[in-house]
Amino acid sequence: MAEPQRIVIIGSGLAGAAAAGALRERGYAGDLVVLGREEHRPYELPALSKQLLLGDVDEPDRVHEPDFYDDHRIELRLGVEVVRLDVGGHAVEDSTGVTHSYDRLILATGSTPRRLPVPGGELPGLRTLRTVEDALALRRELTDGAVVVIVGAGWIGCEVAAAARRHGASVTVVDLVDLPLRRVLGPRMGEVFRDLHAAHGVRWRLGVGVDGFTEHGVRLADGTSLTGDVVVVAVGAAPNTGLARDAGLGLAEGGVAVDAALRTSAPDVFAVGDIAAHDHPRLGRRVRVEHWANAKGQGEHVAGPVLGSDEPYEASPYFFTDQYDLGMEYRGLADAERDELVVRGDVDAREFTAFWLREGRVQAAMNVNQWDDGEALQLLVDARAEVTPEQLR
Ligand SMILES: Cc1cc2nc3c(=O)[nH]c(=O)nc-3n(C[C@H](O)[C@H](O)[C@H](O)COP(=O)(O)OP(=O)(O)OC[C@H]3O[C@@H](n4cnc5c(N)ncnc54)[C@H](O)[C@@H]3O)c2cc1C
């Protein structure tokens, strides 16, 4: 594989920016261009639904210092949207008609919040949360006494609920599923989050779907409706795969299919972060992970394969959240409805570690308000350690 002379990265989020930094760190000396739709220097998203929404900070964390890109000869072109990928011609075209040729291309286009396909689902007043502009606009509306309806009891819905309560808003969260976070954490851990929010004054409308949105709120499938000053739609995000799909790249799990070393089906094209449906060597199957650590880890890792190595990306998925006084980390990937749940510690006091076991092996571990065991949990999860429930307890 000849040494590339020109590498182009599409997407200036965490994965794209991490890839650019890692290429220089590995000694790549050729042209390096990052094309990003947003006008901002690359930033990280977790604070948007936490510290920034809470009002503790006004800016998200940046991936690098301001001078980093100039200092490392990284051409950061912001406010530029790529509209076409020509894999045969080794070139991409941006929305102003400019063509950028590449020897290697990294796709890091992230995701877009989903909307619900119901009447009123596209109303402009509905709030979603993905960018710093979204977060600042929402924060202005989360005032004392505001009536807030959140559709979706996943991570972002729960974090927005916690921020809204901090500002003194009245909050109702609606979800078709009967418990928050149930799909990821299963019923018992879902109850922990339901009770946490209820203790902070959140009203739940669980097990009921949304039939439509109006200027005044949300119509529910059981015939009732909820009025709200602010309606937040937090029903997940769709990976931005349009460029890859139109260029004929292989797709999987809703994202862009990549092999263990993050290579797509097209020669010299790689994909990382939220969009990458990765053939994970440790898990033995394809996974697409929409988490901060995955975007950072894959972004950093891909520099190797882009420069010709064959190293697989092997890190276990890792995720964290902060809601009120609950902080947690989750490592690994469980099937929460099927795997055996084992708890060590005090669930009622919200100080515990949950493990998910399959055939006697640890699939995932979640430490809640306990911070001393991270390394040990990582080892157990990485090794898929064989251990009994009694030992874990
Ligand atoms: C509000 C919020 C809170 C989160 N909190 C946590 C958390 O607590 N813990 C955790 O583990 N994870 C969290 N996540 C998830 C995590 O931040 C994402 O998984 C991660 O940022 C994905 O990085 P990415 O680089 O793949 O995508 P993004 O960060 O979405 O970056 C993609 C970039 O590509 C640009 N782009 C897309 N298409 C084009 C195009 N055609 N041309 C040019 N540019 C394009 C986009 O505008 C965007 O700037 C959170 C996500 C959100 C939205």
Side-chain angles (χ1 to χ4, degrees):
M1 195 174 183
E3 170 87 352
Q5 301 301 311
R6 187 172 171 80
I7 298 175
V8 173
I9 299 172
I10 307 179
S12 56
L14 175 56
L23 281 162
R24 286 298 187 227
E25 209 161 284
R26 286 200 175 230
Y28 169 65
D31 292 347
L32 182 49
V33 183
V34 179
L35 303 171
R37 185 165 52 198
E38 292 188 65
E39 298 282 356
H40 307 283
R41 179 156 56 85
Y43 62 93
E44 303 188 0
L45 306 184
L48 301 187
S49 50
K50 305 179 191 64
Q51 298 93 326
L52 195 137
L53 210 53
L54 288 161
D56 296 341
V57 300
D58 293 322
E59 286 261 318
D61 293 330
R62 303 287 169 168
V63 182
H64 298 112
E65 295 298 317
D67 295 340
F68 181 87
Y69 303 96
D70 284 347
D71 289 352
H72 291 81
R73 288 192 306 107
I74 297 167
E75 198 185 325
L76 187 58
R77 296 222 196 157
L78 299 175
V80 174
E81 170 154 17
V82 174
V83 293
R84 208 169 70 83
L85 160 58
D86 171 7
V87 291
H90 274 60
V92 299
E93 189 187 323
D94 72 30
S95 55
T96 65
V98 175
T99 298
H100 310 261
S101 61
Y102 65 80
D103 296 330
R104 308 269 193 283
L105 179 74
I106 302 172
L107 297 171
T109 47
S111 314
T112 302
R114 289 183 199 278
R115 298 266 184 163
L116 285 178
V118 296
E122 299 294 333
L123 279 173
L126 298 176
R127 293 280 173 224
T128 55
L129 183 50
R130 185 78 197 180
T131 64
V132 65
E133 286 84 6
D134 293 341
L136 290 171
L138 180 56
R139 186 171 82 177
R140 281 193 290 276
E141 296 181 341
L142 298 183
T143 52
D144 195 2
V147 179
V148 179
V149 179
I150 299 168
V151 178
W155 298 115
I156 291 185
C158 285
E159 290 176 358
V160 172
R165 288 298 298 141
R166 156 90 84 90
H167 292 293
S170 134
V171 178
T172 305
V173 184
V174 186
D175 202 303
L176 190 55
V177 178
D178 63 346
L179 286 166
L181 300 163
R182 176 171 181 147
R183 284 193 197 92
V184 199
L185 300 181
R188 185 152 174 231
M189 291 299 117
E191 285 171 5
V192 171
F193 283 86
R194 178 197 61 194
D195 296 348
L196 169 75
H197 284 271
H200 285 83
V202 169
R203 279 187 291 273
W204 290 111
R205 291 297 304 273
L206 295 167
V208 59
V210 167
D211 257 6
F213 297 92
T214 65
E215 298 292 340
H216 308 290
V218 181
R219 267 199 329 270
L220 301 181
D222 63 3
T224 62
S225 35
L226 296 165
T227 47
D229 305 316
V230 188
V231 177
V232 183
V233 180
V235 293
N240 295 322
T241 54
L243 286 173
R245 188 193 54 230
D246 294 350
L249 269 60
L251 304 178
E253 302 285 324
V256 180
V258 293
D259 68 8
L262 305 169
R263 294 174 289 230
T264 71
S265 61
D268 302 321
V269 182
F270 301 74
V272 289
D274 278 13
I275 61 165
H278 174 223
D279 193 356
H280 199 297
R282 214 189 273 275
L283 298 173
R285 63 196 163 95
R286 211 174 263 294
V287 291
R288 197 173 62 73
V289 178
E290 293 180 357
H291 294 331
W292 175 90
N294 181 70
K296 183 170 159 51
Q298 289 189 345
E300 289 170 353
H301 184 90
V302 79
V306 163
L307 298 177
S309 89
D310 204 27
E311 304 152 56
Y313 179 73
E314 290 191 312
S316 297
Y318 167 90
F319 174 77
F320 59 93
T321 185
D322 293 302
Q323 298 169 32
Y324 314 102
D325 53 357
L326 182 151
M328 80 79 155
E329 297 176 303
Y330 177 104
R331 294 174 169 84
L333 196 58
D335 178 344
E337 296 286 345
R338 209 186 78 188
D339 295 337
E340 181 186 2
L341 175 72
V342 178
V343 176
R344 168 198 184 96
D346 187 343
V347 175
D348 293 336
R350 298 189 192 107
E351 279 183 26
F352 64 91
T353 300
F355 298 89
W356 285 267
L357 290 180
R358 191 179 312 157
E359 290 159 12
R361 290 184 177 276
V362 177
Q363 306 298 312
M366 174 175 83
N367 48 307
V368 172
N369 288 343
Q370 290 193 330
W371 307 108
D372 294 339
D373 298 337
E375 224 169 286
L377 298 177
Q378 192 70 51
L379 290 171
L380 285 172
V381 167
D382 285 348
R384 303 281 169 279
E386 200 167 357
V387 56
T388 66
E390 292 68 35
Q391 286 172 310
L392 289 174
R393 278 190 201 104

